Amino acid sequence: MALFSSMLRRPSYSLFSFALRTVGSTTTFHSRFSTVPDFGSEITRECSVPFRHFSAATATATAMKPAADDRVVGALESEIKVAEEVIQNYKVGEVADGFPFEIVDNAGEQTIMLRREFDGEIIKVAVDIPNVSSTEDNDDEEEKEEENEDTGIPMVVSVSKGNGQELEFGLTAFSDEICVDSLSVRQPEDSEGSKRIAYEGPNFSDLDESFQKALQKYLEVRGIKSSITKFLQEYMRNKDFREYFMWLKNLKGFIEQ
């Protein structure tokens, strides 16, 4: 159960925002940020040590491989069983009446997308996994406290009007309030592949209080309000459990090949 609490994490808003703007692209998120160097065709082999010097060590390692793989598979089977029980016992409430968004939830992806049209605008909301403490549960009481914790949900809201410009909010949603973390106006040249980094404005808390309230009302009338937070908290935690379960099964399948 410790893994379930420790795997929930807070994303970087910059990468999160990029994911929002590249929905529908055939280029994968990983391929854009891969840290694997591309050595090209000029790499040469300078090592002249004969391969036979390593034959004994290689044979030993090969003999140990099945035992090491079996140990990993055994650990995975145990964790898969726990994960399956958690998924079966975790219930998500029904979508509230009047929930204004279409939910786009693709298996294998970190986030979900909420989408709607509102008075000529296209509103997209990338929603990530809630922020929770990574502290291990020591007893039932602590576990209940964690379940009842008001965990913030990181979101990026994009409002566009069809002319290429987008108003983009970085938010953290709680059950009683929506906190604005950043706000930027993105131009068409900020689209996928651009190296331009849009100015995200001052700290939201530094803005005039009446201006803050006006922007929060701007979001509220477009459906971004605290009343949707509880459902999204449950939905995203359930998604995290489901994705973790599939990740374990995929890892086990790879090891067993």
Side-chain angles (χ1 to χ4, degrees):
M1 290 298 294
L3 284 177
F4 280 107
S5 59
S6 63
M7 70 186 176
L8 305 181
R9 53 219 168 263
R10 181 180 179 86
S12 165
Y13 270 120
S14 60
L15 299 188
F16 198 19
S17 173
F18 178 88
L20 176 70
R21 299 195 302 278
T22 55
V23 172
S25 170
T26 55
T27 305
T28 64
F29 193 78
H30 174 269
S31 66
R32 291 198 162 270
F33 295 98
S34 174
T35 57
V36 179
D38 181 6
F39 295 107
S41 58
E42 298 181 0
I43 188 168
T44 59
R45 177 174 178 173
E46 299 180 358
C47 179
S48 59
V49 180
F51 182 76
R52 64 178 179 274
H53 288 188
F54 296 97
S55 60
T58 301
T60 301
T62 301
M64 294 174 62
K65 179 177 178 293
D69 290 2
D70 289 346
R71 185 174 181 179
V72 174
V73 170
L76 285 168
E77 288 176 342
S78 177
E79 189 66 19
I80 286 171
K81 183 178 179 181
V82 174
E84 191 170 21
E85 291 175 354
V86 171
I87 292 172
Q88 291 174 349
N89 294 328
Y90 193 86
K91 304 300 181 183
V92 178
E94 296 293 330
V95 178
D97 292 338
F99 186 79
F101 295 97
E102 170 195 2
I103 300 175
V104 181
D105 184 354
N106 297 319
E109 294 185 0
Q110 168 83 8
T111 62
I112 66 169
M113 183 68 64
L114 307 181
R115 181 184 174 89
R116 72 173 299 198
E117 293 185 8
F118 175 79
D119 196 22
E121 299 175 345
I122 297 175
I123 302 171
K124 295 184 292 185
V125 186
V127 185
D128 201 3
I129 294 165
N131 302 319
V132 299
S133 171
S134 61
T135 304
E136 295 186 9
D137 298 331
N138 295 320
D139 52 41
D140 292 341
E141 183 176 346
E142 289 186 7
E143 185 171 346
K144 290 179 181 179
E145 289 178 357
E146 179 179 306
E147 289 176 353
N148 295 328
E149 182 182 357
D150 185 7
T151 54
I153 305 177
M155 302 192 301
V156 172
V157 177
S158 167
V159 181
S160 62
K161 298 187 177 184
N163 60 358
Q165 285 186 319
E166 293 184 355
L167 193 59
E168 190 170 281
F169 295 82
L171 310 175
T172 305
F174 295 92
S175 62
D176 58 348
E177 65 176 334
I178 301 291
C179 297
V180 179
D181 302 316
S182 64
L183 172 59
S184 59
V185 180
R186 297 194 175 275
Q187 305 298 333
E189 55 266 31
D190 299 329
S191 60
E192 179 184 357
S194 172
K195 295 182 179 180
R196 184 176 182 275
I197 300 176
Y199 174 63
E200 295 189 343
N203 290 332
F204 190 75
S205 59
D206 293 337
L207 297 175
D208 181 80
E209 185 176 351
S210 62
F211 188 22
Q212 293 182 43
K213 291 181 178 179
L215 287 172
Q216 289 171 333
K217 187 66 177 180
Y218 177 92
L219 290 168
E220 183 178 327
V221 299
R222 286 161 176 79
I224 311 300
K225 46 192 175 182
S226 57
S227 60
I228 69 173
T229 303
K230 180 174 177 55
F231 167 74
L232 290 176
Q233 285 174 335
E234 295 177 351
Y235 189 97
M236 293 307 296
R237 293 200 66 174
N238 179 263
K239 177 176 174 63
D240 198 30
F241 296 153
R242 289 185 284 111
E243 295 297 344
Y244 179 58
F245 177 67
M246 290 307 303
W247 177 81
L248 290 169
K249 293 187 70 174
N250 290 337
L251 181 57
K252 178 174 178 287
F254 180 86
I255 299 293
E256 289 179 326
Q257 289 180 8

